[in-house]
Amino acid sequence: MDVRAGNRELTYRTNSDGSTVYLETDTSNNPNPLPQGVADAVKREAAQLLGTPGNELEILDARPQTWPNGCLGLELPDRVCTQALVEGWLVTVGANDQKLVYRTDERGDTVLLDNGVDVLPASVREAVLDAAARDTGFPENSLRITRAVSRLWDGCLGVYANPGQLCNEVGIPGWQVTVEGRNSLLVYHTNQDGSDLLLNGDVSRFNRPGAEENSELPEAVVKAVLNAAARQTVQAARLRITAAQRRAWDGCLGIYSDRRACPEIAISGWRVTVEGQDNVLVYHANGDGSDVRLNVPESRLQGNSSAIEPISFSPRESPPPLPRDAIFRAVSAGGITGDVREIMLWEGGKITTRTGQSGRIQTRWVSPQQVQKFQQVLGQQRFSQYDRLSFPPPTGSADIIEVALSSRQGVMRYADYETQQFPQPLQVVLNSWQELLNSAEENPSVGEVQSPTSSEKRPQREGYPWAVERFILQWFGSFF
């Protein structure tokens, strides 16, 4: 079967019922030869990896591809991947019986090694397997390296173990290596020779010896509990389930803010204990993990004597998405005056503040470097993990300021009350946001306060941002 897509003609072969389909590629009659810029970019990457001069490398094969995302179809857990389709190439380059396969975009701006297990330096291989054996407690011969991708790291090798950690913005060539075995998956970031190595705890999964005692715990409950625990701590992979017991809960899963409001029904579920990084967290879950609640009195959080457990809200309750050029938004309301204020961070470093119903806008500025640093904090602290979660005010509280935060990765809500009890990563984001606002300066060419421009004039009541205002006021009202 021939299919035409733009100026490309694709030939597919299938069996009789279409259950097996594969693309037949004839590179000898390729109407779109590999652009020279892509070939040069691939050779530069390969030359650095193989230690071979670029003029000795040869492009052995090049096939046009449509990649499913901005990571070119590769699993790069430390990188945010755009979800749009990307036209590009699958390129094989080689010299002296050594071959490497690269994935690129259309122009060669992004070049990623498809899988470098065969060319992984022996020193890196040995260092990674030795670390994996120590981290899991399993013998080294039961573990294997399943994937290796060459990367260019910052000074932290892309692993951020501590909130607020500062990393030098330097390009360190190295590797992202995946190790599997005994139902464990570990992802390590290394420098070029393996002398510096860190575990990416956010995407690794441990199954330490002795974990079989919790084997009855459904996988859905395991994932839900560990995800919830990760929101309260810093590194998810350093967490492990140490105990799990079956329970029959009432309608509150045994977690009470007002016991009289709990339906007297029997819900089959689990009491699960999670430990890691000197934290002990006790969760109550229903049978399939769709409802998981932290037992705060029985938990122990390092550096946090108590904790506020977030509750989820549905997508229908989310405010409108950010405008096209916006990076971050904070909408607050409540307090004694009940004023509503919206603060928006835009690309280029502009910060606009809109207060009340006047529609007047105050504009201040921060540097592009400060914007980039704040975006790095959002990524390092995994702000997206709080998407559609709210930290409500205590029952019966009054004059509390409520805040809704929106990024390009999601929206969350919280009551500005005892924020020191929030998960540590969230505290880092809030502090970083406040520091950014405190550092903002007025732009002399704009003036302290300006009237709305044609693109910023107050829209109709159903438009943006007044729909945000209506949303947040309705949410705030639900707590009182």
Side-chain angles (χ1 to χ4, degrees):
M1 176 183 297
D2 293 335
V3 178
R4 183 170 295 279
N7 61 351
R8 293 168 57 188
E9 185 172 293
L10 308 175
T11 301
Y12 290 90
R13 293 193 176 188
T14 77
N15 59 357
S16 59
D17 60 4
S19 60
T20 301
V21 181
Y22 69 90
L23 175 65
E24 181 182 89
T25 305
D26 183 4
T27 58
S28 64
N29 190 29
N30 183 6
N32 296 323
L34 183 68
Q36 188 60 46
V38 177
D40 292 342
V42 169
K43 287 182 178 180
R44 282 196 299 270
E45 291 288 331
Q48 182 177 6
L49 194 59
L50 297 176
T52 302
N55 57 10
E56 296 182 12
L57 296 170
E58 180 183 357
I59 301 296
L60 305 176
D61 189 29
R63 307 183 183 189
Q65 300 286 328
T66 299
W67 305 114
N69 53 41
C71 292
L72 310 185
L74 294 173
E75 294 183 8
L76 304 176
D78 60 299
R79 180 181 297 187
V80 177
C81 304
T82 59
Q83 296 306 304
L85 298 177
V86 176
E87 296 296 326
W89 296 86
L90 183 68
V91 182
T92 303
V93 61
N96 302 325
D97 297 327
Q98 289 185 301
K99 294 182 181 179
L100 296 173
V101 178
Y102 284 92
R103 302 185 183 195
T104 81
D105 61 4
E106 200 167 21
R107 299 191 308 172
D109 296 329
T110 301
V111 179
L112 299 174
L113 185 65
D114 185 67
N115 195 342
V117 172
D118 293 338
V119 294
L120 190 66
S123 58
V124 176
R125 183 185 302 272
E126 293 172 3
V128 166
L129 288 176
D130 182 62
R134 291 196 310 270
D135 287 338
T136 61
F138 294 125
E140 190 172 311
N141 59 14
S142 67
L143 304 168
R144 70 186 188 284
I145 294 174
T146 57
R147 188 164 195 83
V149 180
S150 61
R151 300 297 303 274
L152 195 64
W153 303 117
D154 59 17
C156 296
L157 297 183
V159 177
Y160 313 105
N162 300 311
Q165 181 175 353
L166 298 178
C167 304
N168 296 326
E169 296 182 9
V170 296
I172 299 177
W175 294 87
Q176 178 180 295
V177 184
T178 302
V179 180
E180 296 185 51
R182 298 280 188 92
N183 293 324
S184 294
L185 184 147
L186 302 95
V187 178
Y188 290 93
H189 297 191
T190 83
N191 62 355
Q192 201 161 21
D193 63 3
S195 59
D196 194 1
L197 175 150
L198 293 172
L199 175 70
N200 186 333
D202 295 333
V203 297
S204 298
R205 182 182 70 248
F206 285 89
N207 180 34
R208 291 181 175 84
E212 292 78 6
E213 65 189 41
N214 299 318
S215 60
E216 292 185 9
L217 191 64
E219 183 65 24
V221 177
V222 172
K223 291 181 179 179
V225 167
L226 290 178
N227 286 339
R231 290 193 292 266
Q232 294 288 351
T233 56
V234 180
Q235 268 209 9
R238 293 297 186 183
L239 300 169
R240 66 187 187 280
I241 293 175
T242 57
Q245 299 91 27
R246 292 184 181 274
R247 288 289 189 271
W249 304 117
D250 58 19
C252 293
L253 298 186
I255 306 295
Y256 307 112
S257 57
D258 182 356
R259 187 158 187 162
R260 293 170 298 176
C262 298
E264 295 293 334
I265 57 177
I267 298 177
S268 177
W270 297 85
R271 182 184 185 276
V272 184
T273 302
V274 180
E275 296 184 28
Q277 294 186 322
D278 297 324
N279 297 293
V280 177
L281 302 101
V282 178
Y283 286 93
H284 297 191
N286 63 355
D288 61 4
S290 59
D291 191 355
V292 175
R293 307 182 190 185
L294 177 66
N295 186 329
V296 175
E298 296 186 25
S299 299
R300 185 181 73 246
L301 292 170
Q302 182 70 16
N304 195 0
S305 59
S306 59
I308 299 176
E309 177 69 359
I311 59 176
S312 61
F313 58 91
S314 73
R316 295 189 303 273
E317 300 176 68
S318 297
L322 290 174
R324 178 179 176 183
D325 298 326
I327 294 174
F328 196 76
R329 174 182 66 209
V331 181
S332 59
I336 297 176
T337 63
D339 287 342
V340 176
R341 182 172 66 164
E342 176 202 64
I343 304 177
M344 191 93 72
L345 173 64
W346 303 82
E347 292 180 358
K350 181 171 72 171
I351 296 178
T352 57
T353 302
R354 190 190 303 256
T355 304
Q357 299 294 315
S358 66
R360 294 178 64 82
I361 302 171
Q362 180 189 38
T363 300
R364 296 177 296 161
W365 298 85
V366 294
S367 68
Q369 292 77 17
Q370 289 174 292
V371 174
Q372 183 181 21
K373 180 180 178 181
F374 178 67
Q375 289 179 293
Q376 288 177 342
V377 170
L378 292 177
Q380 291 171 4
Q381 305 306 323
R382 310 188 310 279
F383 181 73
S384 60
Q385 69 183 312
Y386 303 108
D387 184 28
R388 296 204 300 273
L389 291 179
S390 64
F391 292 79
T395 303
S397 57
D399 299 331
I400 299 295
I401 295 176
E402 319 286 350
V403 185
L405 301 180
S406 300
S407 73
R408 291 172 175 174
Q409 286 74 45
V411 58
M412 61 85 58
R413 312 180 301 207
Y414 71 93
D416 193 8
Y417 179 84
E418 296 186 352
T419 56
Q420 71 276 8
Q421 295 183 17
F422 288 176
Q424 203 168 18
L426 182 55
Q427 292 185 47
V428 173
V429 171
L430 296 181
N431 291 338
S432 180
W433 172 242
Q434 190 58 53
E435 289 173 3
L436 186 72
L437 298 181
N438 291 343
S439 66
E441 299 179 354
E442 298 174 1
N443 187 338
S445 64
V446 176
E448 179 179 359
V449 178
Q450 64 177 30
S451 299
T453 63
S454 59
S455 62
E456 295 173 321
K457 286 182 179 178
R458 175 178 173 179
Q460 298 298 318
R461 294 294 297 180
E462 293 304 316
Y464 178 88
W466 309 109
V468 178
E469 177 183 324
R470 184 177 61 253
F471 147 78
I472 198 168
L473 287 175
Q474 288 173 346
W475 173 62
F476 296 159
S478 67
F479 292 107
F480 303 102

